[in-house]
Amino acid sequence: MKKLSAAVLLVLVVLCGCSKPTETVIPGDITTWDKELAPSAQKLSDEDRKLLAGYLARAKIGEAFGGKGVPVGTTIAAGIEDQKRWIAERERKEAEAAALKEKLQAERTQKIAELDKAVLVTLLSKREVLKDYQVNRYSDYQEFKVGIKNTSTKPVAGVAGSLEFVDIFDKTVGGVTFRITETIQPGSDVVWTGGRDYNQFIEQHKAVWNLESGKYKTRFVPETVIFSDGSKLTTGE
């Protein structure tokens, strides 16, 4: 019995004398990591090994760009904790960025809704005009007629935005921008006629040119509505 107790005591002494792998100091010389650091790292849990690897990678990248690298005397435990703090801070910033993006998108959606209530915009016609040297038209031309109705309670002094062309597969294939500075009384409407020289090497020009009547729809993307009293609605872009 005494011999057994002595043997158990010896084992406990040996175990207490062994340091934990997390107490291993990370060598400053990366060339010694395989020999001096790897044996301790292999004894870590999978999660801790990943955390340590992340910390070491950040330290070495930072050192390459003029940082301090791994501070002298840093243990594996300290490196793991530093990586945990870094991950927590990164996740906090990502969460804040996501919240800001959601807030800005909600604000934009609200602004667009207000603009849509102020004016009604629709495509009246799309026409392809071929070049004709006899009338000094040296390139093909895309002509658009757009109707704008003031659906607000105040006179409108200007409208800016664009019409997107959406094909039968519900894919936006192109668009045309417009700006008018004509006063539109509440309930009244005007027609904007404009266009652009056709460039066959611009995919959107070609896609809009080839859209067949009845096989596409348009979507108004508002930018700004300015009222005669100086107030305005805008998407902020």
Side-chain angles (χ1 to χ4, degrees):
M1 187 67 177
K2 291 182 178 179
K3 290 183 179 179
L4 181 60
S5 299
V8 173
L9 180 61
L10 178 60
V11 171
L12 291 175
V13 170
V14 172
L15 290 176
C16 290
C18 295
S19 61
K20 297 178 181 178
T22 52
E23 294 176 354
T24 301
V25 174
I26 301 172
D29 184 358
I30 191 174
T31 61
T32 67
W33 284 1
D34 285 342
K35 179 181 179 181
E36 300 180 18
L37 186 61
S40 295
Q42 291 301 319
K43 298 176 183 178
L44 300 172
S45 66
D46 289 343
E47 181 181 356
D48 282 350
R49 274 201 301 273
K50 290 179 182 179
L51 290 168
L52 177 62
Y55 170 76
L56 295 175
R58 284 195 303 111
K60 297 313 294 182
I61 292 174
E63 185 177 16
F65 287 93
K68 296 180 180 180
V70 178
V72 177
T74 300
T75 63
I76 288 178
I80 290 173
E81 288 304 312
D82 186 274
Q83 182 69 3
K84 287 180 178 179
R85 287 191 294 271
W86 180 83
I87 291 174
E89 179 64 13
R90 183 189 64 184
E91 291 176 345
R92 182 187 66 80
K93 289 181 178 180
E94 288 176 350
E96 288 182 352
L100 176 60
K101 180 178 180 181
E102 184 177 350
K103 175 177 176 292
L104 294 176
Q105 287 179 335
E107 290 178 352
R108 173 171 166 75
T109 299
Q110 178 61 30
K111 290 176 180 178
I112 291 176
E114 293 174 355
L115 281 161
D116 278 337
K117 290 180 180 179
V119 292
L120 177 64
V121 178
T122 185
L123 178 71
L124 300 177
S125 67
K126 174 181 76 75
R127 189 163 71 103
E128 291 71 46
V129 183
L130 300 179
K131 57 188 169 186
D132 187 343
Y133 297 119
Q134 293 184 356
V135 296
N136 298 323
R137 187 167 59 245
Y138 300 105
S139 65
D140 295 335
Y141 185 78
Q142 293 181 314
E143 181 186 89
F144 307 94
K145 287 188 177 182
V146 178
I148 302 99
K149 181 177 181 178
N150 181 355
T151 52
S152 74
T153 59
K154 299 189 295 185
V156 167
V159 179
S162 63
L163 274 182
E164 292 182 342
F165 289 82
V166 183
D167 65 14
I168 59 175
F169 299 104
D170 204 32
K171 177 184 177 182
T172 300
V173 297
V176 57
T177 60
F178 65 90
R179 291 174 180 271
I180 65 166
T181 56
E182 185 175 346
T183 299
I184 312 173
Q185 297 297 328
S188 298
D189 53 70
V190 298
V191 175
W192 174 87
T193 301
R196 63 194 177 196
D197 290 332
Y198 173 62
N199 187 332
Q200 62 179 326
F201 300 108
I202 298 178
E203 190 60 36
Q204 288 194 357
H205 282 207
K206 187 165 61 174
V208 172
W209 181 281
N210 292 326
L211 287 174
E212 298 179 26
S213 178
K215 293 187 177 181
Y216 68 90
K217 60 184 178 181
T218 58
R219 179 168 48 230
F220 174 48
V221 181
E223 179 184 329
T224 304
V225 172
I226 301 175
F227 297 99
S228 296
D229 62 7
S231 62
K232 67 180 180 179
L233 297 173
T234 179
T235 59
E237 297 184 347

